[in-house]
Amino acid sequence: MKLDLPRYTERFGATSLHGVQRVYELDSGFDDGRSMSETLTRVGNDQIIDIERRMAIVIPIKAERLRLLEGVLSGIPHDCLTIIISNSPRQPVDRYKLEKDALLQFNRFVGRDALILHQRDPGLSEAVKETGYTSILGPDNVIRDGKAEGMVIGMLLAKMAGKEYVGFIDADNYVPGAVNEYVKIFASGIAMSKTPYTMIRVSWIFKPKMSETGLYFSKWGRVSELTNQHLNSLISYYTGFETEVMRTGNSGEHCMSIKLAELLTFSSGYSIEPYEIVNVLEEFGGIIPTVNQDAMDKGVEVLQVETRNPHFHEDKGDDHLKEMMVASLGSIYHSKICPPKLREKILESLRGRSMLDEGQPEPPAPVRIEPFRGIDMQQFAKILSKATTYTQ
Ligand code: GDD
């Protein structure tokens, strides 16, 4: 892959937030000895494959069309470990079983490493309870519903499998080629990172929508635009300079080194993506003390890379957008580093769009999921092996 070097970087304590980088060639071929422009970099196929071997791709899924899941599976490079975490209904039709059958059938043909597990499996809940990771459990002592909860379980499985990197791809993507590009972007970003504590976030070149006149290639979703605006205000408040650096506040397609992932506190449901950025600033922004001195010394990088493929996914309607918007802005609003002025601006944004119910003074505080660094992975793996839906 041939892509820009970062043109602009916002430095915030030990964190470097790089501006969006463009992809010039999806496949940059063999090294032909030609010199490169000093502003571009080439990540060779051998380097990409080497990173893919050390990467797990987590697909969180809840009742998506199987055809879409099959397409996503076909787009994931062969050498990555695929991990599906499902929260699909088991009754009246066992949708989880259908997903598992589809995965096993796919694997029979391609011979690939893959894991699948149901998020609400009592055996999984037992494994997290016994290892003391209770912040992911609901009042019923079972893993809570939510996309973030599925992603965190995926990260635990990636660590358990000895992977160094974990990427996330939604199951409702219509374009397998785009999925493939996301993973190449993850690997290229990792190759470009100068620290082991790194995160690569995908910025879609277009998110097309159907309009009366045909397809309209919009650039920003309504939620992303607002989330990015408020994340940028948070950064500007501390640096004293307005910025537009953050463009991927809601990006579901992103990846992290396990070394970074295991230090982060996550926020439940759909607030996970913006809160990853907020938490990186909380932990490594130099505003509040941290126990993670090694990451402070080596630095944390956030890279954002714009795709060549447009992003076509399932449109889930206005109520869903409202849920995402309130959760996303709520995760910024309730941060301990959110200044009172920004809180007011967030409230104005939400009230102006009638996103808060009558009498609701503020967005609800998203539930937090603690860092998973301290979990005894051997004990976790031993208990998990008894979970009935765990299939490899
Ligand atoms: N395991 C699990 N558990 N997966 C879930 C759950 C859950 O409780 N809820 C949703 N998912 C899965 C979906 O099946 C899908 O594969 C993925 O998580 C994303 O959920 P969607 O409901 O399709 O979200 P979206 O497409 O509207 O929004 C996506 O893009 C946003 C940016 O535009 C999500 O990735 C958002 O998190 C992201 O901010």
Side-chain angles (χ1 to χ4, degrees), residues 59-64 85-88 119 144-151 169-172 204 207 223-224 249-253 269-274 311 313-314 316 320-321 324 328:
I59 308 174
I61 184 166
K62 186 174 179 185
E64 302 293 352
I85 307 297
S86 170
N87 194 17
S88 299
Q119 188 167 332
R144 283 189 304 272
D145 288 326
K147 183 190 177 219
E149 284 71 3
M151 287 167 60
I169 297 202
D170 290 348
D172 61 345
W204 303 299
K207 228 178 155 183
V223 181
S224 317
N250 284 103
S251 180
E253 275 67 26
Y270 291 105
S271 60
I272 181 165
E273 285 94 2
H311 187 73
H313 73 143
E314 287 276 84
K316 300 207 168 103
H320 178 62
L321 280 189
M324 273 182 36
S328 295

Side-chain angles (χ1 to χ4, degrees), residues 34 54 70 76 108 119 130 191 225 235 246 261 270 273 297 316 319 321-322 332 336 349 356 364:
R34 276 199 230 173
R54 296 184 272 143
E70 284 164 357
I76 295 175
R108 199 170 306 129
Q119 188 167 332
E130 288 302 312
E225 201 169 342
I235 297 164
M246 276 314 303
Y270 291 105
E273 285 94 2
D297 294 342
K316 300 207 168 103
D319 284 350
L321 280 189
K322 178 177 170 182
I332 308 173
K336 44 196 172 208
S349 295
L356 293 180

